[in-house]
Amino acid sequence: MLVLIALFTFPLSIRISFWILNFSQQVNLAIYDLEYYVDNSILLTTSISSGNLDIVKQLLFHPLLGFYTTSVSSLVFGNLLDKYHAGLLSPIIFSSLICLIVYLIGEKIGGFKVGIAAWLLATLDPYSIQFSTTFLDMPATFFSTLFFYLLLEGHYTKSLKKLILLGIVAGLAFSSKHIVIPSIGLLILLLMRSYRRIVMIALTAVLTYLFLNIFKFTSLEYVTLMVTLNISGGAIGIPAIIYGPIEIGKPYTYPWYVLTYLGLGYTGFRVAPFVVPLLCLIFYAKFKVKERADFNNSEYTLLVYWVATSLIPLILLPRNYWTVEVLYFAGKAVQSDVFMKFFYPYYHIVTVPSLSVLTSYFILRSNRSSIRCCSYSDLVLTKGSIFARRIFEVLITIFLILSPLAFLSNTVFPFWDFLFVLTINIENYKEPVLMDMGLHSLIVLTALMVTTLLISIILNWRKHF
């Protein structure tokens, strides 16, 4: 118990030092929507307690659990800190709990050393520390990570009580942020062999979601507006990796879009480097390419499932990276040729737990005696599951191969968005030099896209795999 307390308090102290004691000001990292979430969280709970539901109409795009926890944090710690720092403790606490669950999963998969290595990665990664401040993503990531741990703990349980518990945790994750719905849904479909279990978890999750978001369903107007907002806000619709360039009228930007959604979406100005994928790439290459480890076991397959199901919703996210800014002149809306970024780098924070465990698993494979292999008898490696794993491995490998570019973009210069701006100068006929630079940029991006895809397919589709 003392060890578990220490594994929670250490990441908590780091994040408090960084954000509450304002060490973050020394490194100039961005924090997103602090005032919006804290102010609306407090307003939500005070309005509901007074019987006024008008505020709910302003918050229909997102589920409400993150607002509730932020409000509670503001009230509990408001006497010690200002309301914004007090509210910020909510995602910070969830982030620290995620580190603890990551240790438990690593320990369950490969023993104490794998657990500690995974915990260190999740605790100390600069990207993980920076985006421990995301008010909705942190509880969503915590509950989805806890869901995966409970799956392992119950070995895809047949117990009714444990199935209900899984459903409640899934519902809590859905009530934090909708992006984890496909992640958890895919895990359920991949690991649950019984329709009864799937239905029980899904039903409990839906009921939990409805209970926690009941105020959003109090009128038909709210429900209609909620659907409309999710469509216009990019939560529902055609994946941007497919339709994004057409939507903005720049179909030649497809190579940039494909690479962005497959692995470079977490780059940007004032964004900390995501070190875990870079480490994962190093050890993945060491053991996968050199064939020094046997990856045909259930533990590795489970981790591949977990990482892939964390990535797939991001790859297929309907939210377009760039949206056309609407300008107003004399009170009239005029569509401009100005693009506004609409895909935020903190979305990939949901991948930190799974990538941390997978990376620690690769690191410890260098000494087989140091890794304890568990047996998950419910996971039968059929031809179908091996085929699915190969598809997932291709996606993961692409993500990892692109990580050095993402690392450079977040440490040296945020060049990835600049490459998009450079590429669209292909249309700039008045400036031949810029048009030529845009053409060269498109050629480089296309070559990078094709090379990355080919390498990933070749690495993961050889006969002996």
Side-chain angles (χ1 to χ4, degrees):
M1 182 58 67
L2 290 175
V3 171
L4 294 178
I5 292 173
L7 294 177
F8 166 72
T9 55
F10 182 72
L12 180 65
S13 63
I14 290 177
R15 284 149 177 76
I16 287 177
S17 299
F18 202 82
W19 292 110
I20 306 301
L21 303 182
N22 293 326
F23 176 73
S24 58
Q25 295 179 358
Q26 308 299 319
V27 291
N28 194 33
L29 294 178
I31 185 170
Y32 290 79
D33 301 324
L34 175 62
E35 291 83 3
Y36 171 82
Y37 283 109
V38 173
D39 289 342
N40 279 298
S41 295
I42 296 173
L43 184 58
L44 176 65
T45 52
T46 54
S47 298
I48 289 175
S49 62
S50 64
N52 181 8
L53 298 182
D54 290 343
I55 180 62
V56 176
K57 191 174 182 179
Q58 303 175 32
L59 304 174
L60 291 174
F61 181 72
H62 292 298
L64 299 178
L65 182 58
F67 291 95
Y68 295 147
T69 59
T70 301
S71 178
V72 170
S73 180
S74 298
L75 293 173
V76 171
F77 300 106
N79 293 328
L80 301 175
L81 304 164
D82 66 88
K83 67 175 182 178
Y84 295 113
H85 282 101
L88 201 56
L89 280 172
S90 170
I92 286 175
I93 290 172
F94 277 116
S95 177
S96 305
L97 288 170
I98 289 168
C99 297
L100 175 59
I101 303 300
V102 162
Y103 160 76
L104 294 173
I105 293 173
E107 195 275 337
K108 181 73 62 179
I109 287 286
F112 176 77
K113 291 183 179 180
V114 172
I116 285 294
W119 173 81
L120 284 170
L121 292 172
T123 298
L124 300 176
D125 188 282
Y127 180 86
S128 176
I129 294 173
Q130 177 179 7
F131 294 121
S132 62
T133 57
T134 48
F135 290 90
L136 306 186
D137 298 74
M138 278 299 97
T141 304
F142 167 73
F143 287 115
S144 58
T145 306
L146 179 61
F147 181 86
F148 185 75
Y149 171 71
L150 292 175
L151 277 177
L152 295 182
E153 184 70 19
H155 283 217
Y156 332 124
T157 179
K158 298 178 182 179
S159 166
L160 179 61
K161 291 182 179 179
K162 291 182 178 180
L163 289 172
I164 292 175
L165 177 60
L166 280 171
I168 291 173
V169 173
L172 291 170
F174 302 164
S175 298
S176 302
K177 195 165 186 178
H178 293 139
I179 197 169
V180 298
I181 294 177
S183 299
I184 291 178
L186 282 170
L187 280 175
I188 293 172
L189 293 175
L190 287 166
L191 298 177
M192 291 295 169
R193 303 299 182 187
S194 165
Y195 289 116
R196 172 182 168 274
R197 301 185 212 178
I198 294 174
V199 170
M200 182 58 65
I201 294 174
L203 180 61
T204 308
V206 169
L207 291 175
T208 303
Y209 179 88
L210 291 174
F211 175 77
L212 291 171
N213 295 274
I214 188 63
F215 300 109
K216 296 169 62 175
F217 298 93
T218 52
S219 73
L220 182 60
E221 177 195 3
Y222 283 6
V223 174
T224 303
L225 184 57
M226 182 167 45
V227 174
T228 303
L229 288 172
N230 275 271
I231 292 174
S232 62
I236 301 173
I238 303 173
I241 194 174
I242 297 173
Y243 188 66
I246 297 174
E247 183 180 335
I248 63 172
K250 312 288 183 184
Y252 52 83
T253 61
Y254 262 110
W256 186 90
Y257 261 80
V258 170
L259 291 168
T260 297
Y261 280 85
L262 286 177
L264 288 163
Y266 59 90
T267 64
F269 180 61
R270 295 176 65 195
V271 177
F274 195 1
V275 178
V276 170
L278 195 59
L279 291 175
C280 192
L281 173 65
I282 294 170
F283 288 95
Y284 183 72
K286 182 177 180 181
F287 296 112
K288 185 79 172 181
V289 176
K290 295 183 180 180
E291 304 173 30
R292 291 179 55 187
D294 173 23
F295 290 102
N296 289 317
N297 60 65
S298 55
E299 291 76 32
Y300 173 66
T301 301
L302 282 169
L303 292 179
V304 168
Y305 283 177
W306 189 23
V307 175
T309 54
S310 300
L311 287 173
I312 288 173
L314 298 168
I315 295 171
L316 300 178
L317 192 67
R319 172 169 288 210
N320 201 346
Y321 195 98
W322 298 106
T323 57
V324 178
E325 180 74 349
V326 177
L327 303 179
Y328 291 88
F329 295 97
K332 295 183 178 179
V334 179
Q335 193 166 357
S336 69
D337 57 356
V338 177
F339 289 125
M340 178 179 67
K341 187 172 179 177
F342 206 45
F343 187 101
Y344 302 116
Y346 59 79
Y347 291 164
H348 280 78
I349 195 68
V350 298
T351 66
V352 169
S354 57
L355 282 171
S356 296
V357 178
L358 181 64
T359 304
S360 66
Y361 183 82
F362 285 147
I363 292 172
L364 271 296
R365 293 294 291 193
S366 60
N367 179 8
R368 292 196 180 194
S369 64
S370 67
I371 192 165
R372 184 196 70 203
C373 289
C374 304
S375 176
Y376 293 95
S377 57
D378 286 355
L379 183 62
V380 180
L381 296 181
T382 62
K383 289 183 178 180
S385 63
I386 294 296
F387 178 81
R389 195 186 72 183
R390 286 177 178 174
I391 297 293
F392 292 161
E393 283 179 308
V394 170
L395 296 177
I396 294 170
T397 305
I398 293 171
F399 182 81
L400 297 180
I401 289 175
L402 295 173
S403 63
L405 284 176
F407 182 84
L408 291 174
S409 184
N410 285 345
T411 53
V412 179
F413 177 75
F415 60 81
W416 190 247
D417 287 349
F418 176 72
L419 281 176
F420 173 85
V421 177
L422 193 62
T423 303
I424 62 176
N425 273 287
I426 287 177
E427 298 179 0
N428 195 346
Y429 302 109
K430 295 180 180 180
E431 298 288 344
V433 175
L434 288 176
M435 187 172 67
D436 188 57
M437 292 175 67
L439 178 60
H440 282 88
S441 174
L442 177 58
I443 292 171
V444 170
L445 289 170
T446 303
L448 177 62
M449 179 185 68
V450 173
T451 303
T452 302
L453 293 174
L454 285 177
I455 291 174
S456 301
I457 292 171
I458 291 170
L459 282 178
N460 295 288
W461 220 263
R462 290 179 293 178
K463 290 183 179 180
H464 50 276
F465 284 116

